[in-house]
Amino acid sequence: MQKKPVIANNTPLVALWELNSLFLLRELFTEVWIPQAVEDEFIATEPIARRVALNNAPYIKTVPLPHPQSTLAYVGLHHGEASVLALAEEHDARLVIIDERKARGYAQQIGLPLTGTIGVLLLAKKEGLIDAIKPLLTTLHDNGLYLSVSLIDKALQLADET
């Protein structure tokens, strides 16, 4: 029996790419799926560098949606987020990696296990793949990823870095 997939959205991919840490997905989950809409979003900015990054990360697999119309159930979400949730539902995902609040709310409503970028970093620290999350959070914040002070404080507390 094949393991249930882990499915990621664009923001966590971009964040890990910014940190030069896409490899954490391989180390933590072996393989991560993304729908075509997420791949399209990912390579829309800095297309050459990001295409190279995906080509060098065969553990990130673009998977088509069997029923593209299923994204219509997620009113108010961007196409990528809706595609992630639809793919996760259709394949009974073991984990969804998504940061956007509204999409996380949908995921919780339909019972999908979820985490976000910070959750991936916390797991990587727990598994000994990184030494600390604080410098990574600082880099993400400095590169424009919105992280609330309370979220940073909570993450640092969970990482024993306060």
Side-chain angles (χ1 to χ4, degrees):
M1 184 175 162
Q2 188 178 20
K3 235 181 185 182
K4 293 179 182 180
V6 172
I7 302 172
N9 192 35
N10 185 52
T11 302
L13 284 181
V14 171
L16 293 171
W17 178 77
E18 289 278 345
L19 296 170
N20 200 23
S21 297
L22 282 174
F23 74 93
L24 292 174
L25 296 174
R26 178 192 65 228
E27 297 300 318
L28 294 169
F29 309 115
T30 308
E31 181 177 86
V32 172
W33 291 5
I34 60 173
Q36 185 65 53
V38 169
E39 179 181 316
D40 295 344
E41 283 179 44
F42 183 73
I43 62 172
T45 306
E46 300 186 54
I48 295 171
R50 291 185 182 190
R51 171 57 60 205
V52 168
L54 285 181
N55 288 344
N56 290 330
Y59 47 90
I60 300 173
K61 181 179 174 187
T62 302
V63 176
L65 279 171
H67 305 98
Q69 70 278 11
S70 61
T71 62
L72 300 175
Y74 304 105
V75 177
L77 296 185
H78 291 107
H79 186 57
E81 296 161 357
S83 296
V84 165
L85 296 178
L87 189 64
E89 264 198 301
E90 290 178 10
H91 290 279
D92 193 23
R94 68 180 157 126
L95 185 65
V96 174
I97 306 170
I98 200 161
D99 287 339
E100 292 74 16
R101 182 175 294 171
K102 192 169 188 177
R104 290 173 70 91
Y106 269 112
Q108 288 171 328
Q109 284 177 357
I110 57 178
L112 292 171
L114 74 132
T115 194
T117 301
I118 291 176
V120 170
L121 295 176
L122 287 167
L123 183 57
K125 181 175 179 186
K126 180 181 174 190
E127 296 294 321
L129 299 170
I130 58 175
D131 295 326
I133 67 165
K134 187 173 186 172
L136 302 176
L137 296 179
T138 300
T139 298
L140 290 175
H141 184 266
D142 291 349
N143 286 331
L145 182 66
Y146 174 74
L147 300 168
S148 71
V149 172
S150 62
L151 180 60
I152 292 171
D153 289 345
K154 183 175 181 176
L156 293 176
Q157 191 174 35
L158 290 170
D160 290 324
E161 295 181 33
T162 55

